Amino acid sequence: MQTTVRSAITFTGVGLHSGQPARMTIHPASADYGVWFKRTDISLGDTMIPARFDAVEVSPLCTKIVNGAGVFVSTIEHVMAALAGCGVHNALIEIDGPEVPILDGSSAEFVRAILARGVRSLSAPVRAIEILNPVAVHTAGGWAMLSPGQGFTMKFHIDFVDEAIGQQTKALNLANGTFVRELSNCRTFCRRAEVDYMQANGLALGGIPGENAIVFDGDKVESGAGLRHDDEPVRHKMLDALGDLSLAGAPIIGHYDGHKAGHAITNALLRELFANPDAYRVVTCDAAMAEQLPGAGVERHDIPAVA
């Protein structure tokens, strides 16, 4: 059955790029509501923004959603990944600023709070998007593909010049708490060569190496207590991809393959998918199908000890 959070959960912090403080609360919602954001700091006009692929405004460094009135919320990918990875289908997220708090740079704090508060079943079945035929998007920088498969599986490859990152490839079946165990505590990262440029252009103003981001500089790693996984960068890219794919509006049954892909490529992939009706169908999940989706069977002990 569809789910929502058992009761309201509040987070406070600063935005990674804006540096602005924000208070954000995830509220329970009814079946078939989906996920919506509401800007509580804006008093006039339309303040509701759907967490959907067609509300995304292309941004190279984060996922930003915008409504018809121009009201937006950015860097939603980590909380969206947490909701998807914990199997939460419906929620109203109120926020009093333009950017979701970065917290520790991963989804861990969102996941811990959601699982501590609990998830409540609703009186409607889960509907999923089953991939029937492959769809792909290629750019000069990378590519991504959705193809048929059982449950939801993901493979990701990255390639950076910094020796501390290099080439990394990982494949996971995201059923049965895998997201919570393997990906939820993996933090956002960037290269030292990019930090000064971003900050000079009004970005990464809330970033603090070792506290809410990892910074790589050649063979050096600025991450406080060190990496949480040897391949934390590729795992974080997978975390981002799950959050971005959740903007499809329903869980996906199939396989995602990302090669040096980012937010823009994954969003373009969803747009390509929904532009091709022969590539997918919406199915009502029975118990066996639902058990293969991210979030099925997640328990609090799945949270990594380092989260």
Side-chain angles (χ1 to χ4, degrees), residues 123-207:
S123 57
V126 174
R127 285 182 289 275
I129 298 163
E130 182 181 10
I131 306 301
L132 302 177
N133 294 298
V135 291
V137 170
H138 292 78
T139 73
W143 57 265
M145 175 184 291
L146 283 166
S147 53
Q150 292 188 338
F152 181 67
T153 57
M154 181 184 293
K155 183 178 180 181
F156 213 106
H157 174 79
I158 60 174
D159 185 358
F160 286 83
V161 297
D162 296 81
E163 296 173 34
I165 307 175
Q167 294 192 38
Q168 299 180 8
T169 302
K170 194 164 190 68
L172 289 171
N173 182 330
L174 290 175
N176 299 319
T178 298
F179 169 80
V180 174
R181 290 191 302 272
E182 302 290 340
L183 303 180
S184 68
N185 69 332
C186 297
R187 296 159 293 173
T188 193
F189 68 95
C190 64
R191 301 173 58 228
R192 170 54 63 184
E194 300 166 341
V195 172
D196 293 341
Y197 173 82
M198 287 191 294
Q199 293 184 338
N201 285 273
L203 297 171
L205 300 180

